[in-house]
Amino acid sequence: VAYSASPTASANSGGPYTYTWSAAGLPAGLTVNSSTGAVSGTPSATATATVTASTTVAGQTCSGTTPLTVNPAPIGSLRVSKTVTGKPTGFSSPNFSIQVACSVSSFNQTLTLVDGGSQTITGIPTGTTCTVTEATLPAAPVGYNYGTPSIAPSGAQTIGNGTTVTVAVTNPLTLKLGSLQVGKVVSGQPAGFSSPDYTLNVDCSDNSFDQNVVVKAGQNQIISNIPHGTTCTVTEPSQP
């Protein structure tokens, strides 16, 4: 985290004086401006340093010192979790790639998560904003589709001091659906043929779609929203 401090120096009498500044014990990444005394940079560690201001008065060198303490920067964390809903029996989670983009770019990264998993990014400077997205999805199980991911909370999240922001990424799985069209054809019709009603029996492995379909010759009926993998058998037990 960038750091800056601007110590000042003054004499009890006389002056104004021009001071030369120096420092001892500064951590790597910090420097002192010898003309202004400004201490700035991005420290690599905490430290207690001494800043010295020197000037020459009547041929004598006079100096004063002040301590400078570099404390740990306030930081927080970001936790990202992954959940898949609507899973079929025996679901084996693939890897999901979650993108994290932060205003402090050194924390930008792609997380690899599975269903039920989470990862926490620590040491993020307070005030940093991070946005979680999921640009691409892995292949869904046979017969299923992934819906649009839900990210909560969405948008840029601000990291607080000593806190953990949790962002949940949820992927809904939904069954693929199809249709069954049942029709009736009567061949060899005599002139002026008027079709009676024909009752066709539909028997499916998903019993909620079992039904009798009544049609006339040349007509069709469509049974919609049948889950992928359902088997259906059409019979005509009796004729008019």
Side-chain angles (χ1 to χ4, degrees):
V1 176
Y3 177 91
S4 65
S6 298
T8 60
S10 61
N12 291 331
S13 62
Y17 299 105
T18 299
Y19 296 93
T20 299
W21 295 84
S22 60
L26 289 177
L30 286 185
T31 59
V32 61
N33 185 304
S34 61
S35 299
T36 66
V39 178
S40 62
T42 301
S44 60
T46 60
T48 299
T50 301
V51 179
T52 301
S54 302
T55 190
T56 300
V57 179
Q60 299 294 317
T61 299
C62 301
S63 64
T65 62
T66 185
L68 178 68
T69 301
V70 180
N71 292 314
I75 57 174
S77 302
L78 173 68
R79 178 180 179 270
V80 181
S81 66
K82 164 62 69 177
T83 302
V84 177
T85 60
K87 302 178 288 253
T89 301
F91 174 74
S92 178
S93 178
N95 289 329
F96 294 85
S97 295
I98 311 297
Q99 291 73 44
V100 178
C102 298
S103 55
V104 177
S105 60
S106 58
F107 290 92
N108 293 349
Q109 56 193 278
T110 297
L111 305 179
T112 300
L113 297 175
V114 297
D115 175 42
S118 66
Q119 287 190 38
T120 301
I121 304 170
T122 59
I124 305 174
T126 296
T128 301
T129 59
C130 294
T131 302
V132 176
T133 57
E134 186 174 26
T136 59
L137 293 171
V142 174
Y144 285 79
N145 286 317
Y146 282 112
T148 301
S150 168
I151 299 177
S154 61
Q157 304 302 310
T158 302
I159 307 301
N161 183 22
T163 64
T164 298
V165 175
T166 297
V167 176
V169 182
T170 302
N171 298 83
L173 269 176
T174 57
L175 269 172
K176 293 180 180 179
L177 302 176
S179 301
L180 174 67
Q181 178 175 288
V182 180
K184 183 64 179 177
V185 175
V186 176
S187 60
Q189 302 168 11
F193 175 75
S194 177
S195 175
D197 289 334
Y198 295 87
T199 300
L200 308 179
N201 178 260
V202 179
D203 182 16
C204 296
S205 56
D206 183 339
N207 294 335
S208 62
F209 291 92
D210 291 353
Q211 57 193 278
N212 288 323
V213 175
V214 178
V215 290
K216 295 182 182 297
Q219 292 182 338
N220 298 291
Q221 282 195 34
I222 296 177
I223 304 171
S224 302
N225 299 320
I226 302 175
H228 173 92
T230 301
T231 58
C232 294
T233 302
V234 179
T235 59
E236 189 175 19
S238 60
Q239 295 182 342

